Amino acid sequence: LIIGSGGHGRVVADVAEKLNKFEEISFLDNNFLNKDISRVVNNKKVLGEISINNIEKFTKNFSHAFCGIGDNKLRIKWLNIINKMGFKIPTILDPSAHISKYATLEKGSFINTNVVIQCNSIIKFGSILNTSCTIDHDSIIGEGTHISPGANIAGNVNIGKYCWIGIGSKIIQNIRIGDNVTVGGGSLVLKDIPNNLKVFGSPINVIKDN
């Protein structure tokens, strides 16, 4: 059962289908309430809207649930809810990804096509590692953080919670990034970034508080 059938939710469903581990893959989405929008998305049913009461109805029909919402904080909110309801929350891992056996992937994380994760890295609860990004050795990707397509994270980098690392960004080794940080697409990060900032540039400059 996937919470959210928007862009990210559809990608999650596509990868889950490749795994051939699930008898059924279906969505909940608030567009269910709009009669003008199809209740079938990529050949998968939208069974109802997103609400606690509605999700509870499916605890007997689905063993596993996952959150396919792109917004970092909303994703963690719903992951915590479905976890408390007793659903099994998997890690969804594309078969093309290259993951060291010494890396740690926490549940609720999503690893997309052609991602590389090197040894002793830790990918925390509810993170998104998007298409063709790379995470080098001994790095930590914090809870609910999104690493966008093509971003390169060097060794021993620590990224906090609820961050968004933009498409094609590069972060050199030994960098520390706080919580709730946005790094704009194509940026080069050569120094630590404290909490709650939005930065952009090559090398980065602070744009504003996040």
Side-chain angles (χ1 to χ4, degrees), residues 16 22 29 33 44-45 50 55 70 78 109 143 154 160-161 168 190 192 195:
F22 305 105
D29 194 281
L33 301 173
K44 297 167 184 66
K45 295 177 182 177
I50 300 171
I55 294 170
W78 285 108
S109 54
E143 176 179 301
K161 298 179 181 180
L190 301 176
D192 293 352
N195 296 340

Side-chain angles (χ1 to χ4, degrees), residues 48-66:
E49 77 279 8
I50 300 171
S51 69
I52 291 174
N53 289 337
N54 201 41
I55 294 170
E56 286 179 335
K57 296 176 184 177
F58 294 99
T59 54
K60 294 181 180 179
N61 303 89
F62 290 85
S63 58
H64 293 69
F66 199 85

